Amino acid sequence: MVLFHVITLDGPVGVGKSSVARTLARKLGYRHIDTGAMYRAVTLAAMERHVDLGDPDALGRLAHECDIELIYHGDGFSVSLDGRDVSQAIRDPEVSKNTSPVADSPSVRKRLVSLQRRLGLQSPSVLEGRDISTVVFPDAFWKFFLNASLEERARRRALQLENAGKTVDFEETMKSVHYRDFRDCSRSDGPLLVAPDAIVIDTTTLSENDVIRLILAFIHSPVHPVQDG
Ligand code: DC
C-alpha cells in the first residue's frame, strides 16, 4: 500500500535535513520525526551506562531496554530517555562522535526502525534520517534525498557549532563529516542509499527556503517526476 501521509527525507550529515524537515512539517501540519535523535539517545545511554561501544549485541540489548520518546509540544519536540529530557545532551559533540558504532548495530536498528514505523503511522509525518526511504518507509509516495558537497556540508556544520557557542576548527569539522559519511555509507544494515524512486535535490547552492519551496512544489504538483516517469 502506498503511503501518502509519510514524507521521507534522507541525506548525509550536515546537509540541513533537520531544519528542512522541521519547517516542512510545520507548513503541512505534519509531525517531524527526527530518527537521528533516537540513535543519539541510545548512544547517550550507552555512554552513561558504560556499555561497550564495540559490542553490537550489548548495544542492542540496551536499545530494547531504553524507553525513547519524542514528546511534542507547541512548535517542536523534546527527546525523552527513560522519562528524562535529553534534548540538549544528545547534541553534545562527544555523543555525535560515538553514534556510528551504535547506528551500525543491527539489533539497535531493528528496535529503532520498529519504533519509527509505529510513530510514522500514528499521524501524518515527515521522517528524516538515512534509511527512511529504503528501509523504514519504502512504500512512502514522497521520498526525498538531500545532498550537498562535502565542503558545503562541513561549512554548515561548523556554523551550527559556532552558533551553539563552540570553538570550531574547519579542517577538523570536514574530517569528521567525511568520516561520518564513510560510516553511514559503509554499514551493512541500513546504509545511506538513494532509493530508486526518491527525488534527489542537490542543495549546495540553495538556501533552506529554496529547498522547502522546491519540496512543496513537488508535493503539490499533480505528477510524481520519478514514479510517473
Ligand atoms: O542525523 P544525526 O547526525 O542526528 O544522526 C545521528 C546518527 O544516527 C548518525 O551516526 C547517523 C545515524 N542515523 C542512522 O543510522 N539512521 C537514521 N535513520 C538516522 C540517523
Side-chain angles (χ1 to χ4, degrees), residues 17 35-37 39-40 91 99-100 103 109 129-132 180 184 187:
K17 292 185 300 291
T35 64
Y39 288 93
R40 287 171 176 272
R91 304 292 163 194
T99 53
S100 292
R109 300 201 75 81
R130 306 291 193 283
D131 58 343
I132 312 300
R180 288 176 65 197
D184 278 340
R187 80 170 63 92

Side-chain angles (χ1 to χ4, degrees), residues 28-100:
L28 293 168
Y30 282 22
R31 259 187 184 176
H32 168 205
I33 301 179
D34 175 355
T35 64
M38 298 177 182
Y39 288 93
R40 287 171 176 272
V42 178
T43 307
L44 179 68
M47 289 163 65
E48 288 178 346
R49 296 179 202 182
H50 307 290
V51 174
D52 180 1
L53 292 170
D55 183 342
D57 295 330
L59 291 169
R61 281 194 295 279
L62 175 69
H64 282 80
E65 281 162 23
C66 288
D67 181 23
I68 297 163
E69 281 184 275
L70 300 184
I71 299 174
Y72 292 88
H73 41 72
D75 219 16
F77 63 87
S78 52
V79 183
S80 162
L81 171 65
D82 295 328
R84 183 166 53 106
D85 186 344
V86 294
S87 312
Q88 294 295 322
I90 60 166
R91 304 292 163 194
D92 190 276
E94 275 306 300
V95 173
S96 304
K97 219 193 279 175
N98 289 325
T99 53
S100 292

